[in-house]
Amino acid sequence: MGRWGAAMAVAGRGPPAWALAVGAALAVGAFYYAGSTGGERFPGGARRLQPGKEDAAEAAMGRTRRPPPEGPAAEGGGLLLLAASAEGKAKEAERRLAAEGGGGTGPSAAAAAGELHLLLVLAKAERHAGLRAKGEAALRSLVRFGKLQPGQALALHLLCDAPSKPLGKTLLRDALRDAPFRYKVIFHDVAVLTEKLLPIVEGMQKLFSAGTGTYYSDSIFFLSVAMHRVMPKEISRIIQMDLDVECRTNIRELFEEFDNFPEGAVIGIAREMQPVYRHTFWQYRQEHPGTRVGEPPPDGLPGFNSGVLLLDLEAMRRSELYNGLLEPEAGRRLAEKYHFKGHLGDQDFFTLAGMEHPELFHVLDCSWNRQLCSWWRDHGYNEVFDRYFQCDGHVRIYHGNCNTPIPAE
């Protein structure tokens, strides 16, 4: 299957939609469980996954948004993915849930109608002692504050390399032992998914990574950019989060933000809370005095942080503007215009696209991605740092980027 898909991609513009759907189905194995009703056993049989190509230095950074040209030391990352689906993959299981508990009602039709999916990516877990603690904390907070409606279920997706698989199974089993909701576990083959992503994101990898073999050069770190191309059509809305986050509110509330998207918006994302892009856009800013590019909020354009992402897959599929930006030539033109050379994967793409087409993005309140890293305060930007870092109000999701400790509950 993987070689066939690659051959199709090389022969033309990639495999047709039906082929992608078949590939997605073959790459996924699903097991449905009754959550905390007792007696369930955590499924085995995960498919063998291949490791990424990150080197040790970059892998140690994880998903920490390391600033150029260097940044704070941090532990490895991984990411979480949540999705809302009008129809899940296990339709028979959903019908069974509906019969048992009813369909539920609520302010967000997508959040109330089907499943909340969570994907955990584990890479090089055996090399990073802190990864287990981060995973435990993230999952524990999600379970503690998560309240699902009758008929809903949490879908947990595991994508990892072979050495990390035992840790992933343990994390999920322990976190869900006392979960007050139903859930299912799904295993993905990272090699198949990466092979499908490569024809789409190969061009932008050269623009938004530090070079071949570095951490963010791996195609998987551009998954969010092309999620609408590789996920089944039944999944209409997705929330993606980094692993170094902790919830302080019910994750279902975040799904309601989809209802606040203005017309034309396809992605919900919070602003970057450090002057990293003030630094990255230095040449453009020098050539354009008074520009909003790189300036702090509320009036400036500080760039985005992809620690928490709301992806409206249906809107992404329909948007000619967004899909046009995925073309290699479009990315190259934007990078040249803004003198941009990034290394943070999807976050760089969203930031650059947002400078040119802000209408594609719904800006989340900072409380949904309260970033804690303060590296740039001590690296040349102390005078302006607090203008980026300020975030008032109750924090709903903490983001401990660059290995910053998250406050206790």
Side-chain angles (χ1 to χ4, degrees), residues 61-105:
M61 290 305 303
R63 298 273 296 178
T64 55
R65 307 301 170 218
R66 182 169 60 89
E70 58 184 17
E75 292 289 338
L79 56 91
L80 296 169
L81 178 73
L82 295 164
S85 170
E87 290 184 309
K89 295 290 288 180
K91 293 189 170 105
E92 180 60 33
E94 285 194 31
R95 284 194 291 270
R96 185 165 63 251
L97 284 177
E100 293 173 0
T105 59

Side-chain angles (χ1 to χ4, degrees), residues 144-165:
R144 173 179 171 133
F145 291 96
K147 295 178 177 63
L148 305 186
Q149 293 180 345
Q152 289 185 321
L154 184 68
L156 294 175
H157 299 250
L158 182 64
L159 183 136
C160 65
D161 52 33
S164 304
K165 185 169 65 176

Side-chain angles (χ1 to χ4, degrees), residues 220-375:
I220 202 66
F221 292 109
F222 294 86
L223 173 62
S224 61
V225 171
M227 190 85 73
H228 62 301
R229 301 273 188 91
V230 300
M231 283 293 167
K233 292 290 175 74
E234 291 82 6
I235 298 180
S236 59
R237 292 175 170 181
I238 293 178
I239 298 177
Q240 176 178 311
M241 301 192 302
D242 281 0
L243 184 59
D244 54 349
V245 303
E246 291 186 26
C247 297
R248 293 295 183 265
T249 193
N250 188 355
I251 196 64
R252 285 192 62 257
E253 296 177 12
L254 184 54
F255 280 93
E256 297 171 13
E257 281 291 321
F258 279 112
D259 298 331
N260 298 327
F261 276 35
E263 184 176 356
V266 301
I267 293 169
I269 188 171
R271 298 196 185 280
E272 171 62 42
M273 295 183 64
Q274 292 195 92
V276 54
Y277 290 112
R278 185 186 188 100
H279 182 85
T280 306
F281 285 106
W282 70 269
Q283 184 175 348
Y284 182 86
R285 289 171 51 81
Q286 190 176 58
E287 295 174 357
H288 298 80
T291 182
R292 297 169 61 211
V293 172
E295 285 291 299
D299 299 323
L301 299 172
F304 292 129
N305 182 281
S306 60
V308 176
L309 289 170
L310 277 68
L311 305 175
D312 188 333
L313 298 186
E314 289 187 356
M316 293 168 74
R317 291 168 184 136
R318 292 193 307 263
S319 175
E320 294 183 5
L321 175 59
Y322 182 79
N323 286 286
L325 292 175
L326 299 183
E327 296 296 326
E329 181 59 24
R332 186 190 63 79
R333 285 197 303 266
L334 281 181
E336 287 184 356
K337 174 179 178 178
Y338 289 95
H339 307 294
F340 189 90
K341 176 57 180 174
H343 69 289
L344 295 175
D346 58 353
Q347 175 170 311
D348 287 335
F349 172 79
F350 294 138
T351 290
L352 191 58
M355 297 301 174
E356 192 77 0
H357 298 289
E359 67 273 19
L360 288 172
F361 300 92
H362 167 62
V363 179
L364 296 175
D365 186 81
C366 62
S367 64
W368 283 117
N369 181 6
R370 205 313 174 206
Q371 303 140 53
L372 298 174
C373 182
S374 59
W375 190 87

